[in-house]
Amino acid sequence: MGEHEKLNYVEFPAADLAATKAFFEAVFAWSFVDFGPEYSAFSGQGLDGGFFQADSCSNTANGAALLVFYSNNLEATQAKVSDAGGNIVKPIFSFPGGRRFHFTEPSGNEFAVWSDVT
């Protein structure tokens, strides 16, 4: 059950829904529930959401919001992202409070991973 007036769900476009699902299953151990051939939902990841079939993507260069994962081993997570077919668009860099990197998944949606562990 959602909390009153709190963020509850996020949706992303996916040009290649099967590849996007396979990527998140491999890197972050997500599982999905399909709702027809053009929508797949995930839950239990800090924020529930889904991917819908579309030719667009979510990218900060176009003004999209950036969803950021946390990792206590940034290098290992970056390697998992690359090994699963993700594209590192900003390699690990420092910022006040920690380090992070940005990547796109197979459908082109941009995400980031950060760590306060140096």
Side-chain angles (χ1 to χ4, degrees), residues 31-102:
S31 59
F32 290 89
V33 175
D34 293 333
F35 293 91
E38 296 185 347
Y39 194 89
S40 192
F42 58 88
S43 62
Q45 302 306 316
L47 180 64
D48 294 348
F51 291 93
F52 59 91
Q53 186 70 48
D55 290 331
S56 57
C57 64
S58 178
N59 192 291
T60 59
N62 298 328
L66 180 66
L67 271 73
V68 183
F69 292 87
Y70 178 80
S71 172
N72 50 9
N73 188 333
L74 205 55
E75 288 77 11
T77 302
Q78 182 175 269
K80 285 173 58 178
V81 165
S82 293
D83 291 347
N87 181 35
I88 305 301
V89 295
K90 291 184 184 176
I92 294 173
F93 64 93
S94 295
F95 68 94
R99 301 178 309 136
R100 75 184 197 193
F101 70 91
H102 292 211

